[in-house]
Amino acid sequence: MNKYLERLYNGIIKENPTFVLILGMCPTLAVTTSAINGAGMGLTTTAVLIMSNLIISLLRKIIPERVRVPAYIVIVASLVTVVQFLLEGFVPSLNESLGIYIPLIVVNCIILGRAESYASKNPPVLSAFDGLGMGLGFTVALTLLGAFRELIGAGTIFDMQLLPASYEPVTIMILAPGAFFVLACLIAVQNRLKRKKGIKPGAGCSKEGCAGCVNTLCGGRHLMEAQAVADAVLKNKEESRA
């Protein structure tokens, strides 16, 4: 597969930030009371992801190692400010609906995670495609979550009435508990489909275990690497004593 298409495929399917990596849960659960809110938050985050990945990749050899995270936050915060001004000017209703969650994009773990694990180590164009893939995956996940919650909780999708007027909305679905329930159901369906295809559910797990893992944010992988380093240090100490 072409490496650029692979970044899109990974972001949307294989390493979907919501359904696979389980990242960015704060906006995922808070703003998806409707499909339009989910799509709006997803597209806003996508724009920031693409530009932040591109800029950080271009500056990866200039930014000092010791201040890389503060530098990433400054870059992302600048982009989020620009995006928020654009929303205020052109889509004020969406800006009002998303509220505080637009500024909170600055500390979204998806954006900082991709900056640290991918953009800071790869060329600009590839990093931009990585941001696009992750952003589209996030957008699809939020839109699906918002659509299901809106349909069950109000009988509409994108404010279009789909269920008959006699339908009695399940109000809890547009409240906080409904977000957890719908997200859990969607992840369960995804895992069921993976099992049917013979794919083990997880963030890029392979037959080789952590050694073959493609998920750079996996806690198990980092734990394995840290354990390997500790074992090597202990072995060197024992050899030096001998």
Side-chain angles (χ1 to χ4, degrees):
M1 184 185 296
N2 182 288
K3 59 184 179 180
Y4 299 106
L5 293 178
E6 183 182 8
R7 297 321 308 162
L8 297 180
Y9 172 78
N10 282 357
I12 299 172
I13 307 293
K14 192 174 182 180
E15 298 179 23
N16 186 285
T18 301
F19 295 145
V20 179
L21 301 181
I22 318 296
L23 296 174
M25 288 295 101
C26 180
T28 298
L29 299 172
V31 306
T32 53
T33 52
S34 66
I36 188 66
N37 283 357
M41 173 56 75
L43 292 174
T44 302
T45 306
T46 300
V48 176
L49 260 171
I50 295 171
M51 294 306 300
S52 64
N53 270 18
L54 180 62
I55 294 172
I56 289 169
S57 179
L58 288 170
L59 300 177
R60 69 187 187 281
K61 296 181 180 178
I62 300 174
I63 298 174
E65 180 70 17
R66 290 183 295 177
V67 297
R68 68 185 189 285
V69 174
Y72 298 162
I73 292 175
V74 169
I75 292 169
V76 174
S78 302
L79 293 170
V80 170
T81 302
V82 172
V83 169
Q84 186 171 22
F85 283 150
L86 290 173
L87 288 176
E88 287 179 357
F90 295 99
V91 198
S93 58
L94 180 61
N95 179 69
E96 186 176 349
S97 297
L98 299 179
I100 189 62
Y101 294 100
I102 296 177
L104 285 178
I105 293 175
V106 175
V107 290
N108 191 314
C109 51
I110 300 173
I111 295 176
L112 295 178
R114 299 319 295 174
E116 175 69 15
S117 66
Y118 198 88
S120 62
K121 301 177 179 66
N122 290 278
V125 177
L126 205 56
S127 297
F129 271 85
D130 179 76
L132 176 60
M134 283 289 166
L136 290 178
F138 190 58
T139 303
V140 169
L142 263 63
T143 304
L144 278 175
L145 189 58
F148 277 104
R149 291 180 66 191
E150 183 182 357
L151 179 63
I152 302 172
T156 63
I157 293 182
F158 289 107
D159 293 330
M160 295 184 294
Q161 188 70 36
L162 296 184
L163 297 180
S166 58
Y167 172 73
E168 185 174 345
V170 183
T171 311
I172 194 172
M173 283 301 176
I174 56 176
L175 301 177
F180 285 98
F181 179 75
V182 176
L183 178 62
C185 289
L186 290 175
I187 293 176
V189 169
Q190 174 200 241
N191 289 343
R192 177 66 176 172
L193 293 175
K194 283 185 175 181
R195 284 196 178 94
K196 283 186 176 180
K197 294 181 180 179
I199 301 173
K200 180 181 178 181
C205 295
S206 66
K207 293 180 179 179
E208 293 80 13
C210 290
C213 183
V214 297
N215 178 17
T216 55
L217 299 177
C218 177
R221 174 179 175 176
H222 291 306
L223 183 61
M224 184 207 70
E225 292 173 349
Q227 185 62 47
V229 172
D231 291 343
V233 170
L234 184 60
K235 184 179 179 180
N236 289 336
K237 286 184 178 179
E238 291 175 352
E239 289 177 351
S240 62
R241 288 175 183 173

